[in-house]
Amino acid sequence: MLYLNFIWHMHQPYYGDDVAKKIKMPWVFLHAIKDYYDIPYILSRYSGIKATFNLVPSLLVQIQAYSNYAGNDELLEVIKKDVKGLNKKDIERLEEYLFLSNEENLIQPLWRYNELYIKYQKSNRSLKDFTFEEIVDSEVLFLLSWCGNYLKTNNHYVINLISQGSNYTHEQRNNLIKELISFCGEIINFYKELAFEGKIELSTTPFYHSIAPLLLDISSAKEASPEIVLPDIDCEFIDCMDSQVEDAINYFYKTFGFYPKGFWPAEGSVSQKTLELFSKKKISWVATDEEILYKSLGRGDKNRLYEKYRDVKNDITLFFRDKYLSDLIGFEYSKKNPKEAVKDFISQLQRINTQKGSDCIVSVILDGENAWEYYKNNGLEFFETLYSEFQNNSHFIKTVLPSEIEKLDFTVNDISHIATGSWINGNLNIWIGKKQKNIAWKLLCQTKKDYVRYSKDLDTTKQIIIKNELMIALGSDWFWWYDDDHFTIQKRKFDDLFRLHLSNVYILMDREIPQNILEPIVFENEFSNTTNGAMHKTTIKNDENSHFRYCKLSKKWILFSPSRAYRPNNFLTKFNQNIEGNICPFDAGNEYLTPAEIERIGDGNNWKTRVVPNLYNVLSIDVELFGKKDDYYDTLNGFGAHEVIIETPDHKKTMFDYNVNEFVDYLTICRSRIKNLEKDIRLRYVSLFKNSGSLAGASQVHEHSQLIAMSFVPDGIEQEIKYKKEYYHQFQRAILDDLVYEEKRYIKNLIFENESFICYAPYASKFSYEVKIVAKDKIATIMELNETRITHLALALNFLFTGYKSILGEFSFNMIFKNHPYENYTIDSKEYFRFCINIYPRLNGIAGFELDSGIFLNSILPSDVAHKLRRER
């Protein structure tokens, strides 16, 4: 039997300013009406299905504040105003939030909301062209878009407003707010009811979601990551951590009437001292990530993940999150049809059950709120299909609660010393060790010292209120957004909130706020506009030193990425993949070794090709785009995207052996990625290429391609576009069309031609056996290829690589896809720009003469290349 342990983590930062009695950001309210009731409600409709909900106390406090309407949410206060009396600050707040929703799943389903969103976009993301009536409609539809499925099907007022569609009144808007506030009052009691029925288990987290290992011993960060640079501070926060755990337990009891048995520590962060603290507080189980298990065991054996573990000395049962399965639900299945997604998930469980060969425990632990806006209908169809399939497969799947697992008769593995780390990369680097994070820690230390120095003369009640502000500032969320690890357009707001709580400490002590606390850690000019919502999926972070430098001598950009020097090079172990330490992460069955999958072709274990973020990425989509320019140096930071296309699950298969169908799958997923990245308006150009073999620059034997998307068009590409436009304006023809025409007339260099593509060895080839494949029709990018043309291109590639192998065997080569940049891409682009693929065999190195003169030496005539490849047809 496979015992499936689902833990949904419900959490938001503490957005309240308790001194001003205001809630600064509306995310608790919005997720309350969309997710906090919906997720347990859907589960409650399926008999025999159980799950655990981890409720952070600081979240419960905020939900209670809304239900009592003691929160004074700044956004809702503005929305309630008569639109004719809105001031500039009010309008700016509405502009920030009214369309900060998922476009596809929250905005587009409401036809009027979508119309207004288009107008908002055309008005440069402002309300300057909106009438008063349109603003009211936007306010109402914003609130309706965030309503979950329960409200949309059970609340008659919400149902009627959605049916009305537009032309809302002030009265309807304000009554809707009252309805939603009233609904917030039902949420916590609903969890309590389900817990007493035994449908769910409730667990919790340190009160303000602080990183326990750091507060108990800040040097623990070095245990997890020895190279980390810690802030130079001489403060202890042990008392703060003890209080946060004690307060969390007491608040939980006050709210639900019983004590929590389990904890999901903030971000799954644990250490030996953390478990010792939980043990003293009578906590019986703790959950964390599989990375911690592997570090604790000293080896990464996936099969060991599904066993039962305890820290016998501290009397705590330990659960370890299956990263791959959890991330599939959190990040990947939203891109799939619900039935396909669930089919894949069940197949993953079947694989685990078969491979284990005995009873096993699978823990799936993830964010319970932020993923669902990326699913159609807030994940309803996914959950309904998932829970139905659990019921249909009850012969081998049983959903269980952690407290039930504790009683199961399993062989217990004792972990006598738990490794320090979190669910992200098995370390604590997200919360400490970089410039902005370390500044924040220094401010915390300074504030705590001043609190100890000045608060002792204050009465006990005042001391508690002041200490509470310090506790809030110790929450993990502020550090999450500092530096370049994650991105949100509200990054400065999180910085402001962090420093607000430190400032409140001084205000409450009646002391002057230090200047360094008033100064922002994050500056406004670090930002760029984005189409992403407030909180979204994490991608792999890039080296903090990754950046572009502009060479004024050559007029070219150079990309520096020092972390690339640490890429593994496994060409020496190509056929030794069973040796420990040389497991290929791209092989079928090793999917858990790669970053979370972005896209795939094929289902379950039978995938054909898949795309993942590059683990050693040179650019990251989760950093803010910004540059620097002075009298001499021009630089851009490492914003962009860097993805790997794993072309085949077969480690030993090379492109020289691909059949036509395999080429079709490869080209299809390439086209899909180019299309998807185009949606990010910050990206201007994407380079799609393949390095095969060590001489071509590949560090991984397993066949793969890469794409790097940038915020600008490289100078060489710009010059190419300029020249092709000039040629077209002079002759009214695309230059590549003319070159193909001349090659066909010359005939000796032609290799292959079908309905859509022509292949030839260019007359002035730079490399020996160089080949160019050119679209015969007016096509400027792979995005324009239909299924027929994809097949024709696959036939061309299959013909070429079969011929190459017959003549030369397998060799190193570069393959470059020439697509029109996203920038200035219009229907007219296909008049002057022609999509093509260049294949550059790397049979010889590039030497000093080529580097100096720019003139390439080629030892074989293109006509001889064409003759040999034609002969192999």
Side-chain angles (χ1 to χ4, degrees), residues 757-759 771-775 793 796-797 800 835-837 839:
F757 292 91
I758 184 167
C759 311
V771 170
K772 185 182 289 284
I773 307 173
V774 183
L793 183 53
L797 288 167
L800 281 172
F835 168 74
C836 66
I837 297 176
I839 302 170

Side-chain angles (χ1 to χ4, degrees), residues 57-103:
S58 55
L59 171 68
L60 296 174
V61 168
Q62 293 178 90
I63 294 174
Q64 287 279 21
Y66 279 107
S67 62
N68 299 330
Y69 206 60
N72 295 321
D73 183 300
E74 290 185 343
L75 176 64
L76 293 183
E77 292 300 308
V78 173
I79 290 177
K80 287 166 59 179
K81 288 184 177 182
D82 186 326
V83 292
K84 295 179 182 178
L86 295 175
N87 58 38
K88 182 181 178 181
K89 187 176 180 180
D90 294 334
I91 292 293
E92 288 175 351
R93 189 173 296 276
L94 293 178
E95 288 174 339
E96 179 181 3
Y97 283 104
L98 286 189
F99 297 98
L100 198 54
S101 305
N102 184 286
E103 179 181 353

Side-chain angles (χ1 to χ4, degrees), residues 45-292:
R45 294 160 48 203
Y46 290 82
S47 62
I49 306 301
K50 298 181 178 182
T52 297
F53 289 85
N54 190 78
L55 304 175
V56 180
S58 55
L59 171 68
L60 296 174
V61 168
Q62 293 178 90
I63 294 174
Q64 287 279 21
Y66 279 107
S67 62
N68 299 330
Y69 206 60
N72 295 321
D73 183 300
E74 290 185 343
L75 176 64
L76 293 183
E77 292 300 308
V78 173
I79 290 177
K80 287 166 59 179
K81 288 184 177 182
D82 186 326
V83 292
K84 295 179 182 178
L86 295 175
N87 58 38
K88 182 181 178 181
K89 187 176 180 180
D90 294 334
I91 292 293
E92 288 175 351
R93 189 173 296 276
L94 293 178
E95 288 174 339
E96 179 181 3
Y97 283 104
L98 286 189
F99 297 98
L100 198 54
S101 305
N102 184 286
E103 179 181 353
E104 181 178 356
N105 297 321
L106 297 187
I107 294 177
Q108 290 180 0
L110 298 168
W111 63 270
R112 179 57 174 161
Y113 196 24
N114 192 45
E115 284 183 350
L116 294 167
Y117 174 68
I118 292 170
K119 183 171 184 176
Y120 168 76
Q121 293 281 61
K122 289 181 178 179
S123 302
N124 196 27
R125 302 176 71 83
S126 75
L127 301 176
K128 61 184 177 66
D129 297 323
F130 279 51
T131 65
F132 293 139
E133 291 77 13
E134 287 173 331
I135 292 176
V136 174
D137 273 5
S138 299
E139 292 170 332
V140 173
L141 291 165
F142 166 71
L143 294 172
L144 291 175
S145 75
W146 278 88
C147 288
N149 291 298
Y150 180 83
L151 282 169
K152 289 177 179 177
T153 55
N154 291 276
N155 186 291
H156 293 297
Y157 197 77
V158 170
I159 293 169
N160 291 335
L161 288 182
I162 292 174
S163 177
Q164 180 176 325
S166 63
N167 299 317
Y168 301 107
T169 65
H170 290 75
E171 184 181 11
Q172 286 178 312
R173 179 200 60 199
N174 290 354
N175 285 339
L176 174 60
I177 292 174
K178 291 178 183 177
E179 284 284 333
L180 299 180
I181 290 295
S182 175
F183 176 70
C184 288
E186 302 175 24
I187 295 171
I188 295 176
N189 284 335
F190 185 55
Y191 281 101
K192 187 175 180 178
E193 291 170 10
L194 293 180
F196 276 109
E197 292 172 10
K199 288 283 293 182
I200 67 173
E201 182 168 341
L202 298 178
S203 59
T204 194
T205 295
F207 206 100
Y208 288 108
H209 207 261
S210 297
I211 304 299
L214 292 178
L215 268 62
L216 293 173
D217 180 1
I218 202 165
S219 66
S220 66
K222 278 195 172 290
E223 295 174 26
S225 186
E227 75 283 356
I228 197 168
V229 178
L230 296 179
D232 183 16
I233 58 176
D234 57 349
C235 252
E236 287 191 350
F237 298 97
I238 298 173
D239 58 322
C240 297
M241 194 66 244
D242 188 280
S243 294
Q244 289 214 32
V245 174
E246 185 70 23
D247 291 349
I249 293 170
N250 291 335
Y251 187 84
F252 188 98
Y253 179 81
K254 177 183 175 183
T255 304
F256 297 111
F258 57 92
Y259 289 107
K261 296 179 180 179
F263 262 63
W264 165 258
E267 309 296 352
S269 60
V270 292
S271 64
Q272 195 60 36
K273 290 182 180 179
T274 303
L275 295 188
E276 290 168 3
L277 174 61
F278 288 148
S279 177
K280 290 177 183 177
K281 303 296 182 181
K282 308 301 181 185
I283 297 302
S284 66
W285 65 261
V286 171
T288 182
D289 189 70
E290 68 176 58
E291 294 272 359
I292 306 305

Side-chain angles (χ1 to χ4, degrees), residues 210-482:
S210 297
I211 304 299
L214 292 178
L215 268 62
L216 293 173
D217 180 1
I218 202 165
S219 66
S220 66
K222 278 195 172 290
E223 295 174 26
S225 186
E227 75 283 356
I228 197 168
V229 178
L230 296 179
D232 183 16
I233 58 176
D234 57 349
C235 252
E236 287 191 350
F237 298 97
I238 298 173
D239 58 322
C240 297
M241 194 66 244
D242 188 280
S243 294
Q244 289 214 32
V245 174
E246 185 70 23
D247 291 349
I249 293 170
N250 291 335
Y251 187 84
F252 188 98
Y253 179 81
K254 177 183 175 183
T255 304
F256 297 111
F258 57 92
Y259 289 107
K261 296 179 180 179
F263 262 63
W264 165 258
E267 309 296 352
S269 60
V270 292
S271 64
Q272 195 60 36
K273 290 182 180 179
T274 303
L275 295 188
E276 290 168 3
L277 174 61
F278 288 148
S279 177
K280 290 177 183 177
K281 303 296 182 181
K282 308 301 181 185
I283 297 302
S284 66
W285 65 261
V286 171
T288 182
D289 189 70
E290 68 176 58
E291 294 272 359
I292 306 305
L293 173 64
Y294 301 149
K295 290 174 68 176
S296 300
L297 296 177
R299 57 196 176 98
D301 185 347
K302 188 79 173 181
N303 277 328
R304 295 292 307 276
L305 177 62
Y306 308 117
E307 300 175 4
K308 187 173 181 180
Y309 292 93
R310 282 182 63 77
D311 178 343
V312 175
K313 180 180 178 182
N314 287 307
D315 195 24
I316 291 177
T317 299
L318 298 168
F319 297 102
F320 296 98
R321 170 183 182 267
D322 187 310
K323 185 185 293 290
Y324 181 64
L325 292 182
S326 303
D327 286 352
L328 282 176
I329 295 175
F331 302 136
E332 306 306 322
Y333 284 156
S334 60
K335 305 167 189 172
K336 290 180 176 288
N337 174 280
K339 290 184 179 179
E340 292 178 0
V342 171
K343 180 182 177 182
D344 180 77
F345 191 76
I346 297 298
S347 74
Q348 300 288 345
L349 298 181
Q350 287 172 330
R351 175 182 59 81
I352 293 169
N353 194 51
T354 301
Q355 289 180 352
K356 190 63 181 170
S358 59
D359 289 350
C360 53
I361 301 165
V362 178
S363 295
V364 177
I365 307 172
L366 65 150
D367 187 324
E369 59 206 355
N370 288 317
W372 314 122
E373 65 186 272
Y374 298 96
Y375 280 74
K376 296 290 185 185
N377 207 17
N378 208 42
L380 178 63
E381 290 80 7
F382 171 77
F383 278 117
E384 289 179 335
T385 308
L386 182 71
Y387 293 152
S388 294
E389 284 302 301
F390 286 166
Q391 292 175 330
N392 295 338
N393 289 277
S394 60
H395 61 283
F396 87 95
I397 299 174
K398 183 177 182 179
T399 57
V400 289
L401 306 175
S403 58
E404 294 175 334
I405 296 174
E406 288 186 288
K407 301 172 184 176
L408 292 176
D409 186 18
F410 269 76
T411 299
V412 174
N413 299 282
D414 179 21
I415 294 186
S416 58
H417 188 87
I418 195 80
T420 299
S422 73
W423 76 272
I424 302 182
N425 303 320
N427 58 42
L428 304 174
N429 295 9
I430 294 296
W431 303 278
I432 197 167
K434 287 188 176 180
K435 182 179 179 181
Q436 292 179 346
K437 303 178 199 299
N438 286 352
I439 291 173
W441 277 104
K442 289 179 180 179
L443 295 181
L444 278 168
C445 181
Q446 170 186 330
T447 304
K448 189 186 179 190
K449 285 182 175 181
D450 287 342
Y451 162 73
V452 172
R453 182 182 301 120
Y454 299 125
S455 66
K456 56 188 177 183
D457 296 328
L458 301 173
D459 64 70
T460 304
T461 302
K462 197 71 170 287
Q463 287 186 25
I464 292 172
I465 296 171
I466 296 169
K467 188 176 182 180
N468 195 54
E469 290 292 329
L470 182 62
M471 296 289 198
I472 296 170
L474 285 166
S476 70
D477 301 282
W478 325 119
F479 298 91
W480 179 273
W481 298 114
Y482 282 133

